[in-house]
Amino acid sequence: HMKFEFTDKEYRTLVDVLTLSGMILDAYGRGEDKSRKGYFELEQKIYSYFEDVGSRDLIMRDPSTGQYVRKWSSDRSETIVKILDEYVDSSFWEELIIRMAERDMLADLEFQGKDQSKLTLEERETLLREYGDRYDKEFRSNGLKSIISRSDSSGITKVPSC
């Protein structure tokens, strides 16, 4: 067994770290996914010391489930919420750029009659970066304003490239 000692401030920081990881791990169910159960159990174990370190303002025990849960201010202004919001926002734009760049690269290669499987890894990465850079520049300048959704005669919605 290992023994850790934390100051009250360090414990509060640990609660923030666990909160952030818990928001991601348990986004769609608190401790219900068996593959994530160990993480949830560790969080609960650490949260169980909240009274010992004077953190009643951060954690409470849910009377209906017996689980320890994070308390939030009414306006959710905690720093950890802002960090998660920044992460989610950044992830959204990065994933959108990656997916659109890949879509356009593959469409252009097909239009040019080129076989994408014959590209070297370096050629593929260079092309993806070039397509991605266009979207990155566009989204930084205009957000989603210049993205238009349209349907063709089959009713399939398509988004034109920049």
Side-chain angles (χ1 to χ4, degrees):
H1 291 297
M2 298 174 100
K3 183 178 179 177
F4 294 97
E5 291 187 25
F6 296 103
T7 65
D8 290 359
K9 184 178 179 183
E10 290 170 330
Y11 179 81
R12 295 173 79 79
T13 300
L14 182 58
V15 166
D16 278 348
V17 170
L18 289 171
T19 299
L20 182 59
S21 65
M23 288 172 161
I24 294 169
L25 288 168
D26 287 328
Y28 301 102
R30 293 242 348 121
E32 295 169 13
D33 185 326
K34 289 180 178 150
S35 70
R36 300 172 184 189
K37 187 175 181 181
Y39 302 112
F40 177 73
E41 290 171 347
L42 179 60
E43 173 198 79
Q44 291 295 292
K45 183 176 184 176
I46 293 170
Y47 280 5
S48 72
Y49 294 98
F50 78 100
E51 289 181 336
D52 297 341
V53 292
S55 295
R56 287 182 181 194
D57 61 317
L58 287 181
I59 301 170
M60 67 176 214
R61 190 165 199 153
D62 184 326
S64 63
T65 64
Q67 295 177 357
Y68 297 100
V69 294
R70 175 70 187 253
K71 287 184 181 180
W72 300 103
S73 62
S74 59
D75 64 355
R76 306 269 296 207
S77 61
E78 291 81 3
T79 301
I80 202 71
V81 173
K82 292 175 187 165
I83 291 170
L84 180 65
D85 286 347
E86 290 169 8
Y87 167 77
V88 169
D89 189 58
S90 178
S91 294
F92 167 78
W93 290 109
E94 287 176 26
E95 190 64 27
L96 183 62
I97 288 168
I98 289 167
R99 289 179 187 213
M100 292 182 81
E102 179 142 11
R103 178 204 63 189
D104 289 355
M105 179 194 74
L106 293 174
D108 284 351
L109 287 171
E110 184 177 333
F111 180 75
Q112 296 167 20
K114 294 182 179 176
D115 183 355
Q116 63 119 353
S117 66
K118 297 198 174 170
L119 294 175
T120 66
L121 182 58
E122 185 178 322
E123 289 171 327
R124 181 178 174 77
E125 288 177 359
T126 299
L127 277 173
L128 280 173
R129 190 171 33 258
E130 289 170 3
Y131 283 90
D133 287 348
R134 286 191 328 199
Y135 280 115
D136 184 62
K137 182 179 177 187
E138 178 64 29
F139 293 149
R140 285 183 192 279
S141 299
N142 300 306
L144 293 173
K145 285 188 271 182
S146 61
I147 301 299
I148 301 165
S149 177
R150 65 176 181 212
S151 295
D152 65 11
S153 60
S154 68
I156 297 173
T157 301
K158 295 184 177 185
V159 180
S161 59
C162 296

